[in-house]
Amino acid sequence: MSARYAPSANVIELTESATIAVSARAKSLRAAGRAVIDLGAGEPDFPTPTFIREGAKRALDAGATRYTLVEGILPLRETIAGRASAHLKINDVLPDQVVVSTGSKQALFNSCFVLFGEGDEVLVPTPAWTSYYQILTLARARAVIVRGSREHSLKATARDLEGAATPRTRGVILNSPTNPTGAVYDLDELREILSLAARCGWWVISDEIYREISYAAPAPSLLDAASGDAALGERLIVVDGVAKAYAMTGWRIGWSIAPLAVARAICALQSHTTSNASAVSQHAALCALTARDQADAAIAAMVGEFRRRRDVAVSMLREVKADFVEPRGAFYLFIRIPQRDNDAESGTTFARELLETRDVAVVPGAAFHTPEWIRISYAAPMEDVVEGVRRVIELLMSS
Ligand code: GLU
């Protein structure tokens, strides 16, 4: 079977996910017998906690094998809405504002697809996760890159966003803690951005998938920033899921919390694409979110381990005076690779050489529109983090 294929206009600009491609490459090299250290994948290396797996088994035996409502089972949406209301303090969030999707990636796709279209511009504080740019392109909108300054941990300020806005600006995608830098926006920064967006009538999509992985203080939600002022929450869509904090990547459960009309559009869209997210996975997520004592203990243990790895990696990088963003959340380290021979893609060249000559997989910063950087994920066993960072430093110093 070898028909000539010309990509449709829908996917003409589409490229595969660079973050996923790196871990796929690391896996295939491993399968071929190479001892590759994978610091590419943004995936917790822990198994899903036992109490969640047990909850899923019970749900299966009780018959969680059929379609559910497209938007997800009511107890899960009630729980998510209840947790959101606790942040917002006023204006109780309704279960009907919540749509459960197949991972937060689908929730983000749904949100962008129903909110934006041809001719719309959406501000993306950059560096940002590779899929935002592609999802916006699939929605036929234009991703506008807004660079944060180095002094500000590459975070974009309200002023940066205002400077990039045009009459066509329709929204902004925020992500704190940030993939790929690990930077965390504080409450004042979020409030300023939310106020600007409210003034300009922009939609704000807040990707909070790493919010529970935060090292200094709890990372604020955009819901905290909207708290006390109903007008600030009117155009806010919060996207979250269980993948990262609960080590549940493979279960594929994420959700969006949106104003009712937007939630209805998301639900209609999803009714034609995937219908409900996996029924048993929804029950597993319900168990994760409701068995609070066990969940809090499991998250504390995992975050504690991420913190140990972060501290070790950071002190190794500090020792050689590497330029990296101070990581305060998520499980990433973003390191600048000084240019050699005017190579504007120094991060890409470095990542390739690191894999070829030193068997360490990392994601080139080009995936996040910052080609002079690389991303390391320390969601890997401590010995891999130590040895991987040692080899990164060795290559950095060899130039
Ligand atoms: N979000 C993770 C990452 O950035 C997982 C892979 C993906 O879906 O991009 O590595």
Side-chain angles (χ1 to χ4, degrees):
M1 280 215 318
S2 64
R4 248 175 63 93
Y5 166 65
S8 77
N10 295 334
V11 293
I12 206 112
E13 290 180 42
L14 189 65
T15 54
E16 69 172 325
S17 161
T19 44
I20 288 182
V22 169
S23 30
R25 173 108 182 101
K27 279 196 187 91
S28 84
L29 287 173
R30 272 183 181 166
R34 261 175 65 185
V36 169
I37 296 177
D38 185 4
L39 303 185
E43 174 171 35
D45 54 316
F46 307 112
T48 300
T50 311
F51 76 95
I52 299 173
R53 287 185 276 133
E54 292 301 332
K57 287 179 203 165
R58 282 195 304 275
L60 266 183
D61 289 340
T65 59
R66 310 176 74 113
Y67 291 138
T68 72
L69 288 174
V70 169
E71 60 270 38
I73 56 174
L74 184 60
L76 179 56
R77 287 181 296 117
E78 280 173 341
T79 304
I80 293 165
R83 284 163 61 89
S85 298
H87 282 279
L88 208 49
K89 296 197 185 82
I90 53 160
N91 245 1
D92 274 353
V93 178
L94 305 170
D96 284 354
Q97 292 177 252
V98 178
V99 178
V100 177
S101 296
T102 301
S104 62
K105 195 177 277 191
Q106 188 187 23
L108 283 162
F109 180 89
N110 287 345
S111 305
C112 290
F113 208 77
V114 305
L115 290 174
F116 310 124
E118 191 85 49
D120 292 345
E121 293 181 357
V122 180
L123 307 176
V124 184
T126 296
W129 180 47
T130 193
S131 292
Y132 299 154
Y133 309 95
Q134 298 278 335
I135 287 173
L136 287 170
T137 306
L138 285 171
R140 297 176 196 224
R142 197 166 85 78
V144 175
I145 288 168
V146 184
R147 295 201 184 276
S149 69
R150 178 66 195 86
E151 304 70 59
H152 198 50
S153 298
L154 304 180
K155 292 185 284 184
T157 61
R159 185 192 282 247
D160 295 328
L161 295 168
E162 201 167 12
T166 75
R168 289 177 300 283
T169 305
R170 294 285 173 273
V172 52
I173 302 185
L174 293 176
N175 172 223
S176 175
T178 304
N179 176 7
T181 60
V184 176
Y185 285 69
D186 66 33
L187 195 57
D188 288 342
E189 291 167 338
L190 294 180
R191 206 168 270 149
E192 269 183 46
I193 294 174
L194 203 51
S195 307
L196 170 71
R199 269 202 314 282
C200 300
W202 301 340
W203 293 103
V204 176
I205 299 179
S206 178
D207 175 358
E208 305 192 352
I209 191 70
Y210 297 100
R211 207 177 50 76
E212 293 188 73
I213 305 174
S214 172
Y215 303 110
S221 164
L222 255 288
L223 293 166
D224 300 312
S227 166
D229 186 345
L232 289 181
E234 269 175 13
R235 284 171 175 264
L236 174 61
I237 292 92
V238 172
V239 170
D240 202 344
V242 287
K244 311 289 186 181
Y246 298 82
M248 293 179 69
T249 47
W251 299 80
R252 310 308 303 135
I253 294 293
W255 55 82
S256 49
I257 308 169
L260 267 180
V262 178
R264 277 193 206 108
I266 287 175
C267 189
L269 171 63
Q270 189 166 295
S271 76
H272 294 296
T273 55
T274 55
S275 291
N276 62 272
S278 154
V280 66
S281 294
Q282 290 187 58
H283 284 276
L286 177 62
C287 182
L289 295 185
T290 47
R292 263 343 300 175
D293 288 350
Q294 294 170 84
D296 289 342
I299 292 174
M302 290 188 275
V303 172
E305 183 54 29
F306 289 140
R307 184 200 307 270
R308 269 185 355 106
R309 299 168 186 175
R310 177 199 68 152
D311 290 348
V312 169
V314 160
S315 73
M316 289 172 76
L317 289 166
R318 266 207 195 112
E319 209 159 288
V320 298
K321 299 198 166 34
D323 183 6
F324 62 95
V325 176
E326 193 66 43
R328 298 187 188 281
F331 32 62
Y332 302 118
L333 262 166
F334 207 48
I335 305 169
R336 200 172 72 80
I337 307 299
Q339 281 191 16
R340 267 188 265 175
D341 311 323
N342 283 334
D343 177 11
E345 295 265 338
S346 52
T348 309
T349 310
F350 185 94
R352 194 184 308 121
E353 207 174 323
L354 187 69
L355 186 58
E356 272 164 24
T357 66
R358 285 171 170 80
D359 284 337
V360 180
V362 300
V363 180
F368 316 105
H369 287 269
T370 37
E372 273 184 61
W373 296 71
I374 60 163
R375 187 194 80 179
I376 282 181
S377 159
Y378 50 88
M382 179 68 108
E383 60 272 23
D384 285 5
V385 173
V386 171
E387 182 53 23
V389 172
R390 193 190 67 71
R391 293 185 204 175
V392 166
I393 290 173
E394 197 176 73
L395 183 59
L396 254 182
M397 297 297 123
S398 74
S399 55

